[in-house]
């Protein structure tokens, strides 16, 4: 698409043409921004302050930051990027459009408030939304007793009463995995799938209880932390943690129709990193993906400059 095809995206050409606009100031975006600013590139980071792990007070499994509050890592990362002359804009991106303009603009980034920025490259690090199973009381306890990732939150609940809330086939494997953290473990089938005989035998052989009665409600204590579940049978189970598998919804709607850098589009100027492109990326993996993309973007910009100089 050329800018003529997108007249509604009239970027102010008197304002800066950014080497890179990073959308999202989570671990992935900040890491990309740090690489690029340290590479002496002009970088604008746009973020509207809704990180995925805002529901939890502590991060785990992040080397050098074990137990740190997620917001603190973001504050440290932002300060590091600002110290290298990165610029931040607290705003929400609405659309991203690829263009090829004579002034070097390759991407237009339009904000919800109507402003349009121009860039030579974009790194989209916008994360994902967790769609939780529809059980009353569950969402309010997300990150406060209800989790997805055993490696992130299992250790703090080791040897305590834990449940796996099934969401479909393979939930028995999640229960087998959680057995590593606690022997006091129950799989809440909640009507989500049919356990075969072989699967039932394997669970029993490893001491994992199976509860087939539906889950009516997830219960909180007076401090707002998980207390247990009430089953359709009326029984209440005391629990310290529930692990479940949400559906992962990447927050990439603003990229609709845009080619993303990869084997199919080796010349595209939009990179997607972190949870926006990979639901399994925890914080350290997101940091790594951001750093790798930062290096790739810097190299792509360099190739443009060599081509322009030798034209
Ligand atoms: C409850 C919970 C606990 C977790 N615990 C751990 C843990 O202990 N250890 C661990 O390694 N991982 C943990 N995770 C996973 C961790 O949250 C992700 O791995 C990490 O956040 C991914 O980083 P990211 O930069 O890709 O996305 P995010 O951190 O979600 O950052 C995305 C950023 O993009 C911004 N954004 C999105 N759309 C727009 C837009 N249109 N315009 C402007 N800005 C936008 C958002 O505001 C956000 O700041 C946990 C997740 C959850 C839900």
């Amino acid at each position: 698409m050329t800018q003529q095809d997108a007249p509604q995206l009239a970027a102010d050409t008197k304002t800066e043409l950014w080497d890179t606009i990073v959308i999202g100031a989570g671990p992935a975006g900040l890491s990309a921004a740090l690489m690029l600013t340290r590479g002496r590139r002009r970088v604008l980071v746009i973020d509207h302050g809704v990180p995925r792990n805002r529901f939890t007070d502590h991060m785990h499994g992040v080397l050098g930051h074990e137990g740190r509050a997620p917001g603190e890592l973001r504050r440290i990362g932002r300060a590091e990027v600002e110290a290298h002359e990165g610029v931040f804009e607290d705003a929400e991106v609405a659309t991203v459009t690829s263009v090829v303009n004579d002034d070097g603009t390759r991407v237009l980034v339009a904000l919800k408030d109507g402003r349009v920025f121009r860039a030579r490259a974009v790194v989209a690090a916008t994360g994902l939304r967790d769609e939780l199973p529809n059980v009353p009381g569950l969402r309010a306890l997300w990150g406060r007793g209800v989790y997805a990732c055993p490696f992130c939150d299992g250790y703090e609940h080791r040897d305590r009463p834990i449940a796996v809330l099934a969401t479909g086939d393979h939930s028995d494997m999640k229960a087998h995995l959680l057995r590593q953290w606690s022997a006091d473990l129950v799989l809440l089938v909640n009507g989500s799938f049919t356990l075969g005989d072989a699967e039932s035998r394997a669970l029993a052989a490893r001491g994992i209880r199976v509860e087939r009665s539906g889950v009516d409600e997830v219960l909180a204590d007076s401090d707002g932390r998980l207390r247990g579940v009430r089953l359709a049978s009326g029984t209440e189970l005391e629990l310290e943690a529930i692990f479940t598998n949400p559906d992962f919804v990447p927050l990439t709607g603003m990229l609709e129709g845009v080619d993303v850098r990869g084997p199919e589009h080796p010349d595209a100027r939009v990179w997607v990193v972190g949870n926006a492109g990979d639901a399994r990326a925890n914080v350290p993996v997101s940091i790594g993906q951001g750093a790798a993309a930062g290096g790739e973007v810097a190299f792509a910009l360099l190739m443009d400059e060599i081509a322009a100089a030798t034209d």
Side-chain angles (χ1 to χ4, degrees), residues 6-288:
Q8 75 279 16
L9 292 181
D12 180 355
T13 49
K14 290 193 207 74
T15 62
E16 182 160 356
L17 170 60
W18 296 94
D19 285 329
T20 306
I21 293 177
V22 175
I23 310 171
L30 288 170
S31 177
L34 185 61
M35 287 295 280
L36 284 157
T37 52
R38 285 191 53 78
R40 307 204 67 197
R41 294 295 178 180
R42 290 288 293 157
V43 177
L44 174 67
V45 183
I46 305 173
D47 188 278
H48 72 341
V50 190
R52 180 184 175 202
N53 54 5
R54 64 192 180 279
F55 302 97
T56 190
D57 296 333
H58 304 283
M59 279 178 330
H60 300 287
V62 185
L63 189 65
H65 300 282
E66 179 53 40
R68 194 185 282 285
E72 202 186 332
L73 181 70
R74 288 164 62 89
R75 273 194 299 282
I76 292 169
R78 179 168 175 155
E80 288 175 351
V81 172
E82 283 174 335
H84 293 84
E85 298 169 58
V87 177
F88 283 77
E89 183 72 44
D90 299 326
E92 184 171 359
V93 171
T95 61
V96 172
T97 308
S98 294
V99 296
V100 180
N101 289 353
D102 293 343
D103 65 0
T105 306
R106 294 293 305 271
V107 193
L108 296 175
V109 176
L111 305 190
K112 276 264 167 74
D113 63 20
R115 285 176 295 160
V116 180
F117 293 101
R118 4 180 236 134
R120 297 172 61 196
V122 159
V123 176
T126 45
L128 63 75
R129 189 177 69 245
D130 294 286
E131 289 282 344
L132 293 170
N134 189 16
V135 176
L138 188 77
R139 172 148 277 282
L141 291 160
W142 182 230
R144 305 169 65 83
V146 177
Y147 312 101
C149 163
F151 293 95
C152 300
D153 295 294
Y155 192 83
E156 279 58 44
H157 303 288
R158 62 194 182 280
D159 302 324
R160 305 295 302 154
I162 290 178
V164 168
L165 176 63
T167 51
D169 291 348
H170 309 304
S171 291
D172 56 317
M173 286 310 297
K174 186 139 188 156
H176 280 298
L177 178 62
L178 260 304
R179 177 64 183 77
Q180 185 67 20
W181 282 271
S182 180
D184 189 351
L185 178 62
V186 58
L187 172 63
L188 304 170
V189 177
N190 198 32
S192 67
F193 75 122
T194 306
L195 258 183
D197 286 346
E199 288 82 8
S200 297
R201 274 198 304 277
L203 290 165
R206 301 193 70 229
I208 301 168
R209 306 189 308 280
V210 175
E211 181 54 68
R212 289 187 167 76
S213 181
V215 180
D216 270 3
E217 190 180 357
V218 177
L219 307 167
D221 65 18
S222 53
D223 293 332
R225 299 204 80 88
L226 176 69
R227 175 164 71 80
V229 290
R230 192 175 59 251
L231 303 175
S233 61
T235 306
E236 287 193 5
L237 298 182
E238 298 276 317
L239 294 169
E240 200 178 282
I242 295 175
F243 288 82
T244 193
N245 282 340
D247 286 335
F248 302 124
V249 183
L251 298 173
T252 48
M254 83 282 291
L255 299 180
E256 209 178 308
V258 172
D259 291 344
V260 169
R261 185 82 164 200
E264 280 180 28
H265 301 291
D267 298 322
R269 286 314 169 96
V270 176
W271 279 254
V272 175
V273 294
N275 277 167
D278 178 359
R280 293 163 310 169
N282 61 4
V283 168
V285 172
S286 299
I287 290 172

